[in-house]
Amino acid sequence: MAKVVSFINLKGGVGKTTTTVNIAANLADDGYKVLVIDLDPQTNATVSLINQEEWQECHDSGQTLYHLFNDMLKGEDRFDINDAVIQNVGGLNDLDLIPSSIHLVEIQDDIPDMDNKAYVSHVDVLGNTIESIKNDYDFILIDCPPNLGAITLNGISISDYYVVPTVPDILSKIGISLILNRINNFKKRKHSCKIDLAGIIFTKVDNRTNLHKSTMRELRSGDHRGSVFESEFPQRISVAEAPVDSKPFLTSPTARGKADFHATKRIISSLTEEFLYRIGGDE
């Protein structure tokens, strides 16, 4: 069975997608079979792995996650999980993607109403849909929206673990506790949900700032000390520019041309190794 991991933060712009996509790419490069599910209507993970023309083809054929939820709301049957999975994305043979769509924004508030129309709870739509393909993968990584609404709960309900990528600033301390509390409350109500915290990853780290250094020090010695990854994801322009090629850092021609390519590759590799250790994936 695949290990399913959701990447969650209530704030945008914290490097959540960058962390998800690059750990997924590194796992695939190491020979694991990996599926990325882009639950975020901002579609950042999608455009980091396929180009606009490929996405448009998925949308036109009704094979994005918008169409999955829209089908359930309207009682239609256009979405097909076997057609929706895009194989070998980002220049990697073992990396697959289920793409998102900006149109998810249009229906996200209606999704809880599904309980009155369909035979399935609105938080179980994704889980039921991917059940037939789960065993095809070693890891399924879910890029969640920056909220804990109905779409995110679809990811949480099927995840074994979750990771919180966060910029080490003042708001992160508040946001992390809020996420942990909300997920624990969800688990109390949905007993089949067995999700556990894999860890907190500091992203966009700038060690020149006292705020970043002091926040990391505080979180590493406080209530969350056992949950914080030793590895950090520093601010890197080369990583931010990689999606220009619709590829992760590892296979991006733009990134490969940067002076810090090999140093950054080692950072991502270190993060991936710790990720595997924390979810028991290196057994």
Side-chain angles (χ1 to χ4, degrees):
M1 286 287 287
K3 294 208 173 183
V4 185
V5 185
S6 283
F7 288 71
I8 304 166
N9 196 301
L10 302 183
K11 278 183 66 183
V14 299
K16 172 178 59 65
T17 298
T18 298
T19 307
T20 308
V21 167
N22 284 293
I23 287 179
N26 213 79
L27 288 168
D29 190 56
D30 286 343
Y32 293 104
K33 187 69 176 171
V34 185
L35 174 66
V36 172
I37 299 178
D38 187 3
L39 277 182
D40 193 339
Q42 296 179 69
T43 70
N44 291 331
T46 298
V47 300
S48 296
L49 295 171
I50 61 173
N51 61 38
Q52 179 67 29
E53 290 74 24
E54 290 175 287
W55 177 85
Q56 192 65 54
E57 188 177 320
C58 297
H59 179 76
D60 291 345
S61 60
Q63 304 305 322
T64 75
L65 286 166
Y66 158 74
H67 296 93
L68 166 63
F69 288 102
N70 199 49
D71 277 3
M72 297 297 291
L73 283 168
K74 294 187 174 179
E76 297 176 355
D77 200 20
R78 192 178 178 193
F79 182 90
D80 185 318
I81 188 62
N82 295 303
D83 294 333
V85 174
I86 310 171
Q87 297 181 329
N88 306 326
V89 294
L92 290 158
N93 286 334
D94 289 317
L95 184 60
D96 294 352
L97 169 73
I98 302 179
S100 187
S101 169
I102 196 168
H103 295 285
L104 260 177
V105 171
E106 300 167 9
I107 62 169
Q108 61 185 0
D109 292 338
D110 298 327
I111 289 173
D113 297 337
M114 192 184 297
D115 293 354
N116 301 321
K117 305 172 185 176
Y119 295 106
V120 59
S121 166
H122 71 278
V123 299
D124 293 330
V125 174
L126 179 64
N128 289 344
T129 302
I130 69 165
E131 188 63 35
S132 63
I133 64 166
K134 275 181 71 174
N135 290 339
D136 296 341
Y137 296 95
D138 299 306
F139 299 100
I140 298 174
L141 273 53
I142 304 175
D143 189 25
C144 295
N147 58 58
L148 287 172
I151 295 173
T152 302
L153 292 178
N154 268 267
I156 289 171
S157 68
I158 60 169
S159 292
D160 301 298
Y161 297 95
Y162 66 106
V163 172
V164 183
T166 184
V167 176
D169 57 19
I170 295 167
L171 289 175
S172 69
K173 289 181 283 189
I174 303 168
I176 290 168
S177 295
L178 187 58
I179 293 167
L180 269 58
N181 289 337
R182 286 287 302 276
I183 290 178
N184 285 336
N185 287 335
F186 179 71
K187 285 173 67 176
K188 289 175 183 175
R189 289 165 174 76
K190 185 174 174 60
H191 295 163
S192 62
C193 178
K194 305 297 184 185
I195 192 170
D196 288 314
L197 176 65
I200 299 158
I201 297 177
F202 291 132
T203 56
K204 297 188 174 183
V205 174
D206 186 349
N207 281 306
R208 297 170 300 177
T209 70
N210 287 329
L211 174 60
H212 279 203
K213 287 191 286 188
S214 64
T215 302
M216 289 191 295
R217 191 164 53 245
E218 184 179 339
L219 285 169
R220 283 202 162 109
S221 62
D223 293 341
H224 308 305
R225 58 184 173 275
S227 302
V228 179
F229 273 59
E230 289 297 320
S231 305
E232 301 161 4
F233 213 145
Q235 183 74 274
R236 284 284 201 274
I237 292 174
S238 55
V239 175
E241 289 181 347
V244 168
D245 302 317
S246 299
K247 286 182 168 61
F249 177 86
L250 197 63
T251 56
S252 161
T254 299
R256 283 180 176 273
K258 300 294 183 181
D260 68 350
F261 175 79
H262 291 291
T264 306
K265 183 180 176 182
R266 285 193 294 271
I267 290 168
I268 295 171
S269 179
S270 177
L271 268 172
T272 305
E273 286 176 15
E274 186 169 355
F275 171 83
L276 283 170
Y277 173 77
R278 285 177 171 270
I279 65 169
D282 58 350
E283 297 167 354

